[in-house]
Amino acid sequence: MKQSRIEDVMPLTPMQEGLFFHHLLSESQDGVSDVYVAQLVIGLEGPVDAELLRKSAGELLRRHPHLRVGIRQRRRGGAVQVVPRDVVVDWWECEVG
């Protein structure tokens, strides 16, 4: 039997409903970005084991399902939070200097 790629599906919390509302509102306005979406850029100095750091980020997501949650809108309206069983860490490295 094939295992589902989805670990869990749950209703949104009141806070998630508010965030999702603002996301939909920002999508409807041309040129306005979603204020609740952020990317993280970290500058490090000195020797860094980049592979170990990437694996650690993956392990963090594996251990804590709430960090893998995505919000999906249902065809009938409403939205739910979906927890994928596995995620791939989107990782990009560059050297400056």
Side-chain angles (χ1 to χ4, degrees), residues 1 3 6 20-21 28-29 35 48 60 63 68 81-83 85-87:
M1 185 169 148
Q3 190 176 35
I6 296 174
F20 189 62
F21 169 80
S28 68
Q29 300 171 358
V35 297
V48 174
L60 184 71
R63 288 183 186 185
R68 298 190 308 261
Q81 51 178 315
V82 177
V83 182
R85 193 166 300 286
D86 297 304
V87 294

Side-chain angles (χ1 to χ4, degrees), residues 26-93:
S26 70
E27 268 189 348
S28 68
Q29 300 171 358
D30 292 335
V32 177
S33 62
D34 189 336
V35 297
Y36 295 107
V37 174
Q39 293 183 358
L40 178 65
V41 176
I42 300 173
L44 302 172
E45 294 181 16
V48 174
D49 185 339
E51 183 62 18
L52 181 59
L53 193 57
R54 185 190 61 75
K55 285 181 180 180
S56 297
E59 183 64 17
L60 184 71
L61 292 173
R62 188 190 70 74
R63 288 183 186 185
H64 302 283
H66 59 280
L67 297 176
R68 298 190 308 261
V69 166
I71 296 175
R72 300 289 183 257
Q73 191 165 17
R74 293 183 159 182
R75 289 185 186 124
R76 294 177 265 134
V80 292
Q81 51 178 315
V82 177
V83 182
R85 193 166 300 286
D86 297 304
V87 294
V88 176
V89 176
D90 191 11
W91 195 265
W92 183 71
E93 298 172 36

